[in-house]
Amino acid sequence: MAANAAAAESSVRKRRVDSRRTETERVPGGSSDGTATNGDSEKKKQFVSLQPGTYWLTRIVLLRSVSFIYFVAFMVAYNQNKQLIGENGLMPCKNYLNSVKRYVGGKIGTSALAYAPSVLWFLDWTSMDANLDCIALVGMVLSGFVLVTGMANMVIMVTLWVLYHSLVNVGQLWYSFGWESQLLETGFLAVFLCPVWTLSQVPSSCPPSLVCIWTFRWLIVRIMLGAGLIKIRGDQCWRDLTCMDYHYETQPVPNPVSYYLHRSPWWFHRFETLSNHFVELIAPFFTFLGRRLCMVNGAIQILFQVVLIISGNLSFLNWLTIVPSLACFDDASLSFLFRCGSRAKEAALEIQKKEVTGQVPKPTKGMLIRRVVNISLGVLIGVLSVPVVMNLLSPRQVMNTSFDPLRIVNTYGAFGSITKERTEVIFQGTLSPDPKDPEAVWEEYQFRCKPGDVYRRPCLISPYHYRLDWLMWFAAFQTYEQSEWVIHVAGRLLANDSTVLSLLDHNPFQGRDPPRWVRGEHFRYKFSQPGSASAAQGKWWLRKRIGAYFPAVDLEGLRGYFQSRNWPHPHIPPSRS
């Protein structure tokens, strides 16, 4: 019996061992005790969380970010283009296109398109306001679609790029800022993030190109180095660390936070200036030092731009500069932006799973062609970067300049010099028949955002942008002979012109007779001291008159001035004719 029992026990043990072996065989990489090996656990984890090295989610974030900037830019265009470059605008684009047409020989051909690339060449000029509105509205619809859905294709992104190009190239002085070229360059790179036709957040047949991701990274490197080098080579205050003593008060359009930051301790302003040099001159090189340091640079640049957004109204410039910084992050680092179970995240996980298990399909002919396109993009950006890099290395560096008509690769920079005093041009009008009468009552016009009324709180509008307000900042430290458009504005105010008045916040002659005379007064502005008697009275600003910016003018007296510049003379009200 003992022998039989021993034989039975041996038989049971054998069946258990065989069972365990069977279970081990069912688990790839399994151990003899039926548990998964460390290698298998790692594979399973890969299917739960996104791994570094892919950019499916990065592409969605980039496209949505670019489309947000496009939407703001086209919204600004829709609200202000008619007043600035429309049929009755201060600088009609129709006149500009006609002058370009005459310059290139009187024909609308390749020369005209190369000089001013714009779809407006092919539209009916009899209703230019409608053309401008149509471009802006189409741009808002397309960019809004990409922003909401996170889906785009080359057709949509090329259309947005062409439409905004069409506005910038006829916008003249009003579109002469560096962020216009920066948006066009960013928008051009965004085209190559997308499939040609497919509309999908994660188009599996069109993986994000590492070449394209690096073109975005190269853009943020150039932006920051350009900004940093122009400062070091420019104003002495950047070298002696005193620029921030003035910046918050003298920047183009301060906001309420600027008021308080201006009064920070001297040591804090020195720290700000040193930090600025580190962010713009040192941190960009982290991009080339591996994944982690690249992400560190991306985080530094985004934080820096957020600080600038909080401390001033610099249009959509800082919002736009965040966009290429996002390319420093891959799917693993951006996955927190997507909720668990989202289609985009699940699709990216599934693609990574297939790559790990070797189930990647063979490249199609279209995918191979796309690879050639991506490589061609890298070569194009590399070639066009040569003059840009030479400019960065030059002691005569220039900023915000394009070396090609399509503005594909540009130079950038900001605040190479800092104004130490803030001056403002204040438009004033009077109903008095004699502008020299000491009893004449002069009433002030107020702009949307620029300082005027000392009791008005600084505005907070970023990323929106008032183009006229911004140009008035430049006019204040020039003369009216250098900024003749200021006199054009004065003539429109004399006629109570609704087109130009719509760009202002307050017309003192609303519902009354138009002013007989308008003049420009030059004032020096300073922030009031928080806690002072002036601040207690509600004054944000203190001002002191410098003198006349331009003398009192009336409509009749401006007739010859307007005619000599081919400006349409404003209508003289019957009561004065």
Side-chain angles (χ1 to χ4, degrees):
M1 291 180 63
N4 291 337
E9 184 177 353
S10 176
S11 177
V12 170
R13 286 177 180 174
K14 183 177 180 181
R15 285 197 296 269
R16 286 177 179 173
V17 170
D18 290 341
S19 176
R20 287 177 182 176
R21 286 177 179 172
T22 303
E23 289 297 321
T24 301
E25 291 172 357
R26 290 175 186 172
V27 182
S31 63
S32 60
D33 62 355
T35 59
T37 63
N38 290 337
D40 188 61
S41 297
E42 290 300 319
K43 286 184 179 181
K44 288 186 176 181
K45 288 180 182 178
Q46 288 176 353
F47 303 154
V48 175
S49 61
L50 285 163
Q51 300 301 301
T54 60
Y55 299 91
W56 300 97
L57 303 185
T58 305
R59 169 163 60 186
I60 297 172
V61 174
L62 283 170
L63 288 174
R64 277 186 156 149
S65 302
V66 173
S67 65
F68 170 72
I69 306 299
Y70 267 135
F71 185 84
V72 173
F74 281 115
M75 180 169 60
V76 172
Y78 180 74
N79 291 333
Q80 301 177 37
N81 271 356
K82 293 186 289 297
Q83 300 92 317
L84 300 175
I85 60 174
E87 296 170 6
N88 297 315
L90 292 169
M91 297 179 185
C93 63
K94 181 178 179 180
N95 296 349
Y96 175 74
L97 290 172
N98 277 323
S99 66
V100 172
K101 184 179 176 181
R102 290 192 298 269
Y103 177 76
V104 298
K107 295 181 180 179
I108 302 176
T110 54
S111 297
L113 283 171
Y115 191 93
S118 177
V119 297
L120 288 170
W121 288 112
F122 309 105
L123 301 180
D124 183 4
W125 293 3
T126 58
S127 183
M128 193 60 80
D129 284 355
N131 294 338
L132 294 172
D133 279 351
C134 183
I135 289 174
L137 286 172
V138 172
M140 288 174 66
V141 169
L142 291 179
S143 58
F145 170 81
V146 179
L147 176 61
V148 172
T149 65
M151 298 186 295
N153 57 29
M154 278 191 165
V155 176
I156 292 176
M157 300 310 293
V158 167
T159 301
L160 287 170
W161 185 72
V162 169
L163 291 178
Y164 201 65
H165 233 305
S166 298
L167 296 179
V168 171
N169 289 317
V170 301
Q172 305 158 81
L173 184 65
W174 313 108
Y175 281 80
S176 60
F177 314 122
W179 56 75
E180 313 295 358
S181 295
Q182 188 175 327
L183 176 52
L184 289 173
E185 179 172 351
T186 307
F188 178 80
L189 299 180
V191 170
F192 297 89
L193 285 171
C194 311
V196 178
W197 299 106
T198 305
L199 277 176
S200 172
Q201 286 190 333
V202 185
S204 57
S205 61
C206 183
S209 165
L210 195 57
V211 172
C212 190
I213 294 297
W214 270 102
T215 59
F216 277 98
R217 294 174 179 176
W218 175 230
L219 173 57
I220 189 60
V221 168
R222 287 186 289 109
I223 290 172
M224 302 316 293
L225 287 179
L229 290 172
I230 202 70
K231 291 180 175 68
I232 291 296
R233 292 170 175 152
D235 203 315
Q236 176 65 31
C237 70
W238 287 114
R239 295 188 291 277
D240 60 28
L241 308 182
T242 60
C243 273
M244 298 308 293
D245 293 348
Y246 313 100
H247 169 72
Y248 294 116
E249 184 176 73
T250 63
Q251 64 179 308
V253 186
N255 69 15
V257 179
S258 311
Y259 175 82
Y260 296 101
L261 286 175
H262 177 65
R263 299 299 180 182
S264 299
W266 67 269
W267 58 264
F268 184 75
H269 288 317
R270 303 300 180 272
F271 170 75
E272 288 178 306
T273 311
L274 278 173
S275 299
N276 183 94
H277 293 330
F278 171 78
V279 171
E280 294 182 340
L281 294 172
I282 304 299
F285 292 102
F286 294 176
T287 305
F288 309 104
L289 301 179
R291 175 178 178 267
R292 289 186 179 180
L293 283 179
C294 183
M295 290 193 298
V296 168
N297 175 54
I300 289 173
Q301 301 304 340
I302 291 172
L303 178 61
F304 183 56
Q305 298 306 318
V306 170
V307 170
L308 295 177
I309 289 168
I310 293 172
S311 63
N313 294 299
L314 298 176
S315 181
F316 51 75
L317 172 62
N318 306 119
W319 301 78
L320 176 60
T321 307
I322 289 175
V323 176
S325 304
L326 295 169
C328 294
F329 303 93
D330 56 18
D331 290 346
S333 53
L334 292 180
S335 62
F336 74 96
L337 296 175
F338 296 79
R339 59 181 176 80
C340 293
S342 66
R343 291 185 179 181
K345 197 170 184 178
E346 290 299 320
L349 282 166
E350 183 63 26
I351 291 172
Q352 284 194 354
K353 178 180 178 181
K354 290 180 179 179
E355 290 176 352
V356 169
T357 57
Q359 299 178 23
V360 180
K362 293 182 179 180
T364 63
K365 183 179 179 181
M367 294 173 71
L368 294 175
I369 293 174
R370 186 56 184 263
R371 290 179 184 177
V372 173
V373 171
N374 292 333
I375 294 172
S376 301
L377 171 66
V379 173
L380 174 66
I381 298 300
V383 171
L384 295 180
S385 293
V386 172
V388 174
V389 173
M390 296 301 294
N391 176 70
L392 287 174
L393 299 176
S394 171
R396 298 182 179 180
Q397 176 193 359
V398 293
M399 65 181 190
N400 300 327
T401 301
S402 300
F403 294 97
D404 63 271
L406 295 180
R407 310 189 195 209
I408 295 174
V409 180
N410 312 286
T411 66
Y412 301 104
F415 296 109
S417 61
I418 295 290
T419 53
K420 308 306 186 293
E421 290 184 335
R422 180 177 201 92
T423 58
E424 293 288 348
V425 178
I426 304 297
F427 286 94
Q428 299 176 342
T430 183
L431 294 170
S432 174
D434 181 8
K436 297 181 180 180
D437 184 354
E439 300 297 323
V441 177
W442 291 92
E443 302 177 71
E444 295 186 4
Y445 292 86
Q446 299 296 331
F447 283 72
R448 295 278 185 181
C449 211
K450 89 174 191 70
D453 181 1
V454 296
Y455 290 95
R456 189 173 70 169
R457 178 181 61 82
C459 66
L460 185 62
I461 56 165
S462 178
Y464 196 77
H465 177 50
Y466 293 116
R467 297 186 181 277
L468 180 58
D469 290 52
W470 192 275
L471 263 296
M472 288 299 299
W473 180 74
F474 285 95
F477 49 82
Q478 298 174 336
T479 65
Y480 74 87
E481 290 90 351
Q482 295 171 305
S483 303
E484 293 183 337
W485 57 268
V486 171
I487 305 300
H488 197 171
V489 172
R492 296 295 190 90
L493 297 181
L494 284 164
N496 257 358
D497 181 76
S498 60
T499 301
V500 170
L501 284 170
S502 67
L503 295 172
L504 304 186
D505 183 60
H506 173 64
N507 171 21
F509 301 95
Q510 179 72 35
R512 302 158 57 192
D513 289 337
R516 289 180 175 270
W517 298 88
V518 166
R519 69 183 183 185
E521 290 288 279
H522 210 184
F523 287 88
R524 182 177 294 110
Y525 273 67
K526 288 182 176 294
F527 277 136
S528 64
Q529 179 73 41
S532 66
S534 299
Q537 295 171 8
K539 291 183 179 180
W540 289 82
W541 297 96
L542 302 175
R543 75 180 188 181
K544 183 178 181 180
R545 184 178 183 271
I546 300 173
Y549 183 79
F550 65 85
V553 295
D554 66 348
L555 277 178
E556 189 57 42
L558 287 177
R559 185 179 295 277
Y561 191 89
F562 274 54
Q563 288 177 349
S564 66
R565 289 155 180 79
N566 294 318
W567 295 343
H569 190 260
H571 171 67
I572 299 178
S575 59
R576 297 190 218 157
S577 57

